[in-house]
Amino acid sequence: MLSKETLRRIDAFDASVDRSFDRLRGNPVADRIFYGASAMGDHGLIWFLLGALRGARSEHDWKAAVRVGVSLATEAAVVNLGIKSLFRRSRPVSDAPRPYHLRRPRTSSFPSGHATAGFTAATLLADGDRLGPAYYALAALVASSRVYVKIHHASDVVGGVVIGLGMGRLAGRLFPLAADPILKEGP
């Protein structure tokens, strides 16, 4: 169990980050970007799509895509059926009208499933791919969108990032990709 002081610090952190996002909320461009990113992260949709696109490039990339898909299914089960049931944290309360409709999850707020899925997928998709930094940037956008749309506390997202990075690294170690034969060929 966390001490009262630790819980107070987490609440202060969450409130501080939320106030920072308040400066952006209501901006039509920011609304479209963050609400769109949040919606694309539902059920890992964007990550399955990016995995499939990577898989279309070659047989080596197909194996990488399958690894992402299996890892995302495992991540969803571990997070949604396991970790979230241990914490049962309430989601942020917001009476503010939302400019775009979003699915409101019924599961615990901690950790953010969008963050865990995003960083699990980014870690695996970046493995051996020159687009690696773009995967991480997209994962950060999707994860932070959950605070922007007030469906998660900032600490939920931080926890999700840490768990996602760990799950991605573990999956990468358990199921390493062989070196891409195209990259091995010399002149």
Side-chain angles (χ1 to χ4, degrees), residues 21-140:
F21 274 101
D22 277 341
R23 295 183 199 130
L24 281 175
R25 289 185 182 110
N27 175 302
V29 174
D31 282 352
R32 283 183 187 264
I33 291 169
F34 284 110
Y35 277 82
S38 190
M40 287 299 291
D42 274 353
H43 308 294
L45 176 64
I46 187 74
W47 307 113
F48 285 110
L49 178 63
L50 289 172
L53 288 172
R54 179 172 176 186
R57 294 190 304 201
S58 71
E59 186 174 332
H60 178 268
D61 286 315
W62 176 248
K63 291 176 183 174
V66 169
R67 181 176 76 161
V68 168
V70 170
S71 295
L72 284 173
T74 303
E75 171 275 329
V78 168
V79 170
N80 292 310
L81 300 175
I83 299 172
K84 283 181 179 271
S85 66
L86 293 174
F87 288 91
R88 298 182 183 190
R89 185 177 192 194
S90 297
R91 293 185 180 271
V93 177
S94 175
D95 296 333
R98 290 198 163 104
Y100 301 100
H101 172 74
L102 282 177
R103 181 183 65 83
R104 186 125 176 122
R106 294 186 181 147
T107 57
S108 170
S109 190
F110 184 86
S112 164
H114 280 59
T116 57
F119 280 87
T120 297
T123 301
L124 295 170
L125 287 167
D127 187 10
D129 192 325
R130 60 185 161 74
L131 296 175
Y135 296 128
Y136 284 107
L138 184 57

Side-chain angles (χ1 to χ4, degrees), residues 154-178:
S155 56
D156 301 333
V157 171
V158 171
V161 168
V162 170
I163 293 167
L165 288 169
M167 291 183 81
R169 293 192 81 182
L170 178 62
R173 285 190 178 141
L174 291 175
F175 307 103
L177 292 177

